Amino acid sequence: MGKRARGAKGREQRPYRVLSVPFVVAPPSGCRIRTRLNLSPADEEVLRAAGTHLGALAGADLAARVAIGNVSPAFNQRAARKKALTAQSSSRWAGSITRTSENQYQLARRALDGHIGSLRRAIATITARLAVTPDAREQHGRRVVRGYADGAERRSKQQRLQILQGDLRQAVREWAGGRVRVTRGGRGLLNARHHLYDSADAQKPLTEEDWQTQLAGWDTQWSARRMFLTADGEAGAPFGNYTISVDPAEGTIAMVLPGPLRQAYANAPRGRYVLDAAANFSHRGAQWADRIASGASVRYDITYDPARGRWYLDASWSTTVKGQTVPAPALETLRRHPVLAVDVNADHLAAWVLDPCGNPVGAPHTIPLELSGLPATTRDARLREAISQLLHLAQRHECAALVIENLDFADARATGREKLGRGRRGRAFRRKVAGIPTAKFRDRLSGMAHHAGLSVIAVDPAYTSRWGAQHWLNPLKEQTSTGSTTAVSGHHAAAVVVGRRGLGCTARRRHDGPRQTLATTALRRAETGAVRPEDRTGTTAPAASSHHTSDRTEWTAPARTSRSTPVVRQTRARPPGKHPPHGPNTVRGPSIHDQQPELFGMPDTANIGQSD
């Protein structure tokens, strides 16, 4: 065996890992639309009273569910809890409350599992590095473990290891006992209450008036987030929901009030309250109306935004039958059409359109995506705007799918301070990794692409930047040096590798251009020593070559060519590179060292076979 390849600093390169198979991202299985409600003062009073009353019941039921612990659904006592809540609300309100409590408990349980796994990975990484002498390296199988820089850093990591081990023991005890930590309204808002004075915007020291204003603002947000106005739909019910019903013709909203509030606020028969405001769903309102007309169920959520002082009504429903998934197009079907390859970065999206053969078409595209230091609503709006530009670009080039990397930085964030550098550069790099919207981008893109009639292909992200810079960066720069205003970067080259991986092509490009051109055929004849008609000498015509057969066209898939491409192949009895015997009537072709024809082929024709 030859020597193992070495990196830039003389270290042995790690062996390449096996790449996972590309797959089509499943379309969303539900739909959610929103409209604003222009409520009257009477409507606001009723909704606040009902939301506060039901929110208190939801908090008590969640505490009861957590006290039960981790049991199977048959033993979570949901029927008994629902019966106790029905006397203070209604049977359908109680059903929505108990269902929400179960979902919150299971979500917190999964979060606790992820937290335990994160702690164990961090402990394993620190333990392995502590076993190595500071400023040294050791080979552990295929992995090279390096020690810490000096003794001071090693001592600080020992202290951090003890803290992580204590957190792990506490988390394991909570997991074994079935206990979870859930804060209705958000843990961040609860922690803000403990530091309310420090988070005040007014000048310090605060006056009594400023303190009361700060306290009232926090109380408004806390009560708004803890209100419960969620009504699950029922198939066959009038307008798809018994508890909150919306008439699609007039937009009137009728709500069933809890039992203790009916005598004070009911203005319709059977303990119902009809709001003065009307609901008008402009986005996908036709689908909502068709679903109501068919007798299907629709869920409604009424929420209040204290920062804007607005009330909203959300309608949601499932687009699939329970237990089934939305059918996704086959991967081979999508590979017959152009695709838009996207490389996600911290501050922009690099995209390039690829034809079915894996060749870059047109010019590169860069979509800015500045998200750092912005509120959550602004980040979400900018992310949606960037995805909309991607979808418009894909539709303009008649693409069938978008190819993205299946990124997940959960493990890297868990052990980031151990694996993602140290010092100022390490902090900057970790901050950049944390700013890349991986899961949010994938979820938003799959939903918006599905409604736009496009699919999403996810591929393994390994080595895309390295192989893009190695095989595609320089040729793409030469190709687009004069025909594009967008400068080609390593991110665009990585996007090309991502797209080719989604199309089933190799990352490496063909360096010899088209299969049959004047330059390449001359070179191959020179390499094989073939006899050309103009090279014949003497009066006797040479006999027909026995090692050459007539050309034939096949529909096949060679190693580095596209699928279903007509390729001209020449069948030879002897391997290439073997010269025919010398004779008086034979003159060898020109040597490969005599001339060096240009072998560069543009990427848009690199994989297309042509006959002589």
Side-chain angles (χ1 to χ4, degrees):
M1 296 180 61
K3 294 183 179 180
R4 186 187 299 269
R6 293 184 175 272
K9 296 183 179 180
R11 298 190 301 266
E12 293 186 356
Q13 295 181 354
R14 291 179 297 179
Y16 292 123
R17 67 174 178 85
V18 179
L19 303 180
S20 59
V21 180
F23 64 94
V24 181
V25 179
S29 59
C31 177
R32 188 181 184 97
I33 56 179
R34 165 173 285 194
T35 184
R36 182 183 174 185
L37 299 178
N38 297 315
L39 301 181
S40 63
D43 292 344
E44 288 193 18
E45 182 182 358
V46 173
L47 291 182
R48 288 183 186 277
T52 303
H53 177 76
L54 294 174
L57 298 179
D61 182 72
L62 178 60
R65 176 62 187 90
V66 173
I68 294 173
N70 184 30
V71 296
S72 62
F75 300 97
N76 59 7
Q77 304 177 14
R78 182 180 179 184
R81 293 186 288 115
K82 180 179 177 182
K83 184 177 180 180
L85 293 173
T86 301
Q88 306 178 55
S89 55
S90 69
S91 61
R92 293 183 177 86
W93 281 122
S96 300
I97 290 174
T98 53
R99 190 265 310 162
T100 304
S101 299
E102 183 67 24
N103 292 345
Q104 286 181 325
Y105 180 83
Q106 297 300 334
L107 178 61
R109 184 78 177 177
R110 293 193 296 270
L112 182 59
D113 291 341
H115 179 57
I116 292 175
S118 174
L119 290 174
R120 286 175 174 170
R121 288 189 294 269
I123 290 174
T125 303
I126 296 177
T127 303
R129 296 191 63 182
L130 287 176
V132 182
T133 306
D135 200 15
R137 299 176 183 273
E138 290 185 4
Q139 186 78 24
H140 292 183
R142 292 186 175 182
R143 188 165 57 98
V144 177
V145 180
R146 62 183 179 88
Y148 290 104
D150 49 27
E153 184 180 5
R154 190 175 187 275
R155 286 189 294 272
S156 65
K157 293 300 180 180
Q158 287 176 338
Q159 296 176 359
R160 174 169 171 78
L161 178 62
Q162 296 175 359
I163 295 175
L164 293 178
Q165 289 174 345
D167 294 344
L168 178 60
R169 289 191 296 267
Q170 177 67 20
V172 170
R173 283 195 298 267
E174 294 179 357
W175 184 89
R179 182 190 176 194
V180 296
R181 300 176 182 266
V182 183
T183 304
R184 296 187 61 253
R187 188 175 300 176
L189 189 59
L190 178 61
N191 293 334
R193 178 62 182 86
H194 302 308
H195 307 279
L196 197 59
Y197 186 88
D198 298 333
S199 61
D201 297 332
Q203 185 178 2
K204 308 293 190 310
L206 296 180
T207 62
E208 182 65 23
E209 183 180 358
D210 294 337
W211 170 252
Q212 293 298 332
T213 302
Q214 183 78 358
L215 185 62
W218 177 90
D219 185 69
T220 301
Q221 296 184 16
W222 180 253
S223 59
R225 291 190 184 183
R226 292 172 65 89
M227 286 194 306
F228 186 90
L229 290 172
T230 299
D232 296 336
E234 298 182 37
F239 306 120
N241 198 311
Y242 277 111
T243 309
I244 299 178
S245 58
V246 181
D247 188 353
E250 301 178 359
T252 57
I253 307 172
M255 182 181 66
V256 176
L257 294 175
L261 303 180
R262 293 180 180 179
Q263 185 176 0
Y265 297 107
N267 62 357
R270 302 177 61 182
R272 304 175 72 87
Y273 179 82
V274 180
L275 278 70
D276 298 333
N280 180 22
F281 292 100
S282 58
H283 175 63
R284 307 186 69 179
Q287 299 181 19
W288 167 74
D290 294 342
R291 185 171 180 84
I292 291 179
S294 63
S297 62
V298 179
R299 167 182 162 175
Y300 293 105
D301 296 87
I302 299 178
T303 56
Y304 175 67
D305 185 0
R308 298 183 177 182
R310 298 178 179 179
W311 291 82
Y312 297 96
L313 174 65
D314 296 345
S316 57
W317 61 87
S318 177
T319 56
T320 59
V321 182
K322 186 176 181 179
Q324 299 181 359
T325 58
V326 181
L331 185 60
E332 294 300 329
T333 302
L334 299 176
R335 287 175 172 176
R336 301 192 188 107
H337 306 275
V339 298
L340 178 63
V342 183
D343 181 64
V344 184
N345 302 283
D347 55 354
H348 72 281
L349 302 176
W352 210 313
V353 179
L354 274 70
D355 63 7
C357 300
N359 304 313
V361 178
H365 303 273
T366 301
I367 300 177
L369 187 62
E370 294 289 345
L371 304 178
S372 59
L374 299 176
T377 54
T378 306
R379 292 198 305 268
D380 187 71
R382 291 196 177 186
L383 185 61
R384 288 177 178 271
E385 174 62 22
I387 293 176
S388 299
Q389 296 183 29
L390 287 177
L391 297 180
H392 296 161
L393 181 63
Q395 292 174 342
R396 186 164 62 249
H397 290 83
E398 299 181 354
C399 298
L402 294 91
V403 185
I404 62 174
E405 295 175 311
N406 189 24
L407 291 172
D408 187 7
F409 292 128
D411 295 345
R413 288 167 181 163
T415 58
R417 283 184 283 184
E418 307 300 328
K419 292 186 177 180
L420 299 183
R422 56 188 297 271
R424 182 180 302 176
R425 295 182 60 184
R427 289 193 297 269
F429 183 71
R430 291 195 299 270
R431 187 162 46 249
K432 181 178 294 186
V433 169
I436 299 178
T438 54
K440 181 72 69 175
F441 176 79
R442 182 180 63 246
D443 297 340
R444 291 279 189 240
L445 179 62
S446 61
M448 298 176 66
H450 174 70
H451 298 314
L454 300 171
S455 300
V456 179
I457 302 175
V459 301
D460 196 313
Y463 316 118
T464 54
S465 299
R466 182 190 304 180
W467 290 348
Q470 180 180 355
H471 302 293
W472 286 95
L473 183 57
N474 291 334
L476 291 175
K477 284 183 177 181
E478 296 177 2
Q479 177 184 356
T480 59
S481 57
T482 57
S484 175
T485 57
T486 303
V488 179
S489 64
H491 302 297
H492 295 102
V496 173
V497 176
V498 170
R500 290 178 62 86
R501 188 169 294 175
L503 291 170
C505 304
T506 59
R508 184 182 304 174
R509 56 179 294 275
R510 290 183 60 89
H511 291 282
D512 56 350
R515 293 183 62 85
Q516 297 291 340
T517 61
L518 295 178
T520 56
T521 52
L523 179 61
R524 288 176 183 141
R525 284 169 178 167
E527 290 177 343
T528 58
V531 180
R532 300 177 298 179
E534 59 270 22
D535 295 333
R536 296 171 182 169
T537 58
T539 58
T540 306
S545 175
S546 60
H547 64 276
H548 184 275
T549 59
S550 59
D551 297 344
R552 67 175 186 273
T553 302
E554 298 177 348
W555 289 88
T556 181
R560 297 182 183 174
T561 57
S562 60
R563 294 156 302 282
S564 304
T565 304
V567 179
V568 177
R569 285 185 170 179
Q570 295 179 351
T571 305
R572 303 179 185 273
R574 62 180 66 189
K578 299 296 183 181
H579 301 286
H582 296 281
N585 296 330
T586 302
V587 177
R588 295 187 58 185
S591 173
I592 186 174
H593 303 287
D594 296 339
Q595 58 180 354
Q596 292 291 341
E598 181 66 23
L599 303 182
F600 174 75
M602 288 299 185
D604 56 349
T605 60
N607 294 334
I608 301 179
Q610 300 176 359
S611 59
D612 291 335

